[in-house]
Amino acid sequence: MKKSLLLIVTVCSLAVVSLLGFRQASDPNRAYQEILQYQSEQMRAAQQAGTQPDRAAISAEVRKRAEAAIAGVDPASVDATNGLAWARLFNMAQKNEGAITLLQRFLGTSPADALKSQAQNLLVSLLYNTEKIDELIKFLETVEPVKPDGGLGLLNFAAFASEDISAKVGVARALAILNRIEAAIDFKAITDPRQIQAATNARMNALESRVDLLIADNKSAEAMKAIDAMIASLPESDNANKRRLGSLKNQKMLVGSAAPELVFDRKHGNFTNLAAWRGKVVIVDFFAHWCGPCKASLPSLGALYNELHSKGLEMVHVTRLYGFYEAERNMAPDVEFGKMVGFMEQHKMTWPVIYVDNATFEKYGVSGIPHVAVVDKKGVVRKLKIGFSPAGIDAFKKDILALLAE
């Protein structure tokens, strides 16, 4: 599934300013509003000046102000009814343990539905980002989503984290979590057009994760039935999502089929074709130089390649020309191609990178990147992995080792 990027919730707040500098906030809600105002002013000033905002500098200042705002605050003893506001400040100060404690205490105060939903979503994000997968699982197995649509964020997050949950407790419990949260949402009661679209997107995300889990559990036929059922449930006019699901079905049907050959027109490194690598396990990773999750995955994939290359693992990264590189636009193909040399050196990529056309992306069902296809020694696609999460790399390595042992 698409995890085109690692999920990080950023919630902002600002400490009260005195003539001597920053001091602890006495009103966390006011501090929260002030930091939002600060960020807005900085972004607006850059826009008016026709320049790119210095996001790193803004983030550093925000963190500094948030740290001042929470100085001396004990998450275990402040008024729990203000826990969400304080948690936002702690989160922006990157004090996630304190934020988690505050959110857990806040949710025990029977807050208003809107605030309860915000706290639930922030908590699951923090539990995931701090790799507290056991606590995340326990929370998702017991949380009561706010009706009718408060569970949409939770469903999206359960879908996003499903691979990590499955790696920890197995496919059955990961599926049960998805099913439980989706069943708790009253989709028929959602009438606002924007929320209807949000609900459809959440259902689609949950379906994609459900399909991935079923295929990983060798239940491809059941996965295809789940896609067909979702297609049948959509309104006749929803052609966009029907096409999306049709593409998903084609993508998943690739598993168990012969890997389409990679036809390229330029390359860095030593690559001829997949046929030349028969008898080896091959990681085919569709990526782009601008893709954050793609770049985040490279250290883990590089370590895996370096460890297992001598045992029969090969890897090729597949991309295409985009006409730009970083801030440079309208770039000639040869210039953009040349930029990849520095990219590969920066990310210590010692395996080949090839450039293909859109047709090759379509043959592999690429709808989001990174998109990894694992090809076995006989040239058959055995696994598709969309997106990247650090917590899932151990399970991925286990799959590779099993294929190498065949």
Side-chain angles (χ1 to χ4, degrees), residues 3-65:
K3 285 184 194 169
S4 43
L5 50 333
L6 204 49
L7 182 63
I8 301 175
V9 173
T10 304
V11 187
C12 304
S13 49
L14 174 65
V16 177
V17 181
S18 71
L19 293 176
L20 297 177
F22 303 113
R23 61 180 173 82
Q24 181 192 93
S26 58
D27 182 351
N29 285 296
R30 179 181 174 185
Y32 170 68
Q33 294 301 323
E34 286 178 343
I35 203 168
L36 290 179
Q37 181 180 350
Y38 165 77
Q39 282 196 313
S40 177
E41 289 173 349
Q42 296 299 307
M43 300 295 287
R44 185 165 55 250
Q47 184 179 30
Q48 291 173 349
T51 61
Q52 289 293 322
D54 189 342
R55 299 182 186 277
I58 294 172
S59 295
E61 178 64 15
V62 163
R63 181 177 180 180
K64 178 181 177 181
R65 295 184 179 204

Side-chain angles (χ1 to χ4, degrees), residues 36 66 68 75 89 97 103 127 178 198 232 243 245 261 289 302 360 366 395:
L36 290 179
L89 287 165
E97 296 288 346
L103 290 166
L127 289 174
L178 276 174
R243 285 194 299 271
L245 289 173
E261 193 50 80
H289 58 72
T360 302
V366 180

Side-chain angles (χ1 to χ4, degrees), residues 138-145 154-155 174-185 210:
K138 182 178 179 180
F139 182 77
L140 290 174
E141 287 182 328
T142 57
V143 64
E144 294 297 334
L154 295 174
L155 183 59
L175 284 169
I177 287 172
L178 276 174
N179 295 338
R180 176 184 181 276
I181 294 176
E182 187 166 3
I185 300 171
R210 188 175 290 113

Side-chain angles (χ1 to χ4, degrees), residues 328-378:
E328 299 181 55
R329 294 294 187 267
N330 302 316
M331 184 171 285
D334 288 345
V335 176
E336 182 183 347
F337 176 70
K339 293 285 187 181
M340 184 56 67
V341 174
F343 182 94
M344 293 175 69
E345 291 176 352
Q346 178 186 354
H347 295 283
K348 301 178 181 178
M349 299 171 69
T350 57
W351 52 91
V353 173
I354 64 173
Y355 286 73
V356 302
D357 58 13
N358 289 340
T360 302
F361 273 68
E362 292 172 2
K363 289 177 182 178
Y364 276 84
V366 180
S367 57
I369 52 177
H371 174 112
V372 173
V374 179
V375 182
D376 70 11
K377 296 177 181 179
K378 297 180 180 179

Side-chain angles (χ1 to χ4, degrees), residues 59-298:
S59 295
E61 178 64 15
V62 163
R63 181 177 180 180
K64 178 181 177 181
R65 295 184 179 204
E67 287 175 342
I70 66 172
V73 175
D74 180 4
S77 62
V78 296
D79 183 356
T81 59
N82 285 328
L84 176 58
W86 282 117
R88 288 167 170 155
L89 287 165
F90 270 74
N91 182 42
M92 182 46 56
Q94 298 183 21
K95 306 294 184 182
N96 291 332
E97 296 288 346
I100 290 170
T101 297
L102 287 158
L103 290 166
Q104 290 170 334
R105 294 184 63 222
F106 175 76
L107 288 169
T109 66
S110 301
D113 283 351
L115 297 179
K116 179 181 179 181
S117 183
Q118 293 173 34
Q120 289 174 341
N121 284 305
L122 180 54
L123 179 57
V124 294
S125 172
L126 291 173
L127 289 174
Y128 182 82
N129 290 336
T130 54
E131 300 185 9
K132 296 180 181 294
I133 304 300
D134 288 327
E135 291 185 44
L136 174 65
I137 292 168
K138 182 178 179 180
F139 182 77
L140 290 174
E141 287 182 328
T142 57
V143 64
E144 294 297 334
V146 175
K147 293 184 180 297
D149 57 3
L152 296 180
L154 295 174
L155 183 59
N156 279 322
F157 206 92
F160 176 83
S162 61
E163 181 182 357
D164 303 298
I165 294 172
S166 175
K168 192 75 173 178
V169 296
V171 169
R173 281 181 69 181
L175 284 169
I177 287 172
L178 276 174
N179 295 338
R180 176 184 181 276
I181 294 176
E182 187 166 3
I185 300 171
D186 189 355
F187 290 101
K188 292 182 179 179
I190 301 174
T191 57
D192 179 84
R194 289 176 299 180
Q195 286 301 91
I196 289 174
Q197 184 58 52
T200 299
N201 289 339
R203 290 180 66 205
M204 294 283 284
N205 291 336
L207 173 69
E208 290 189 26
S209 292
R210 188 175 290 113
V211 166
D212 286 340
L213 291 170
L214 289 169
I215 290 175
D217 202 30
N218 297 314
K219 296 178 180 178
S220 295
E222 189 175 338
M224 297 305 107
K225 288 180 181 178
I227 296 175
D228 290 338
M230 183 67 172
I231 293 174
S233 74
L234 293 172
E236 289 187 15
S237 59
D238 195 354
N239 293 319
N241 281 320
K242 287 182 179 180
R243 285 194 299 271
R244 176 181 167 185
L245 289 173
S247 176
L248 175 66
K249 187 172 182 179
N250 290 338
Q251 177 191 106
K252 301 310 179 184
M253 288 176 67
L254 185 62
V255 176
S257 301
E261 193 50 80
L262 297 170
V263 180
F264 62 94
D265 59 8
R266 55 181 80 201
K267 66 178 180 177
H268 292 290
N270 184 21
F271 179 81
T272 305
N273 52 42
L274 288 177
W277 280 344
R278 289 290 187 272
K280 298 186 177 184
V281 175
V282 184
I283 295 174
V284 180
D285 189 354
F286 290 80
F287 83 114
H289 58 72
W290 49 262
C291 168
C294 299
K295 289 184 280 191
S297 72
L298 292 175

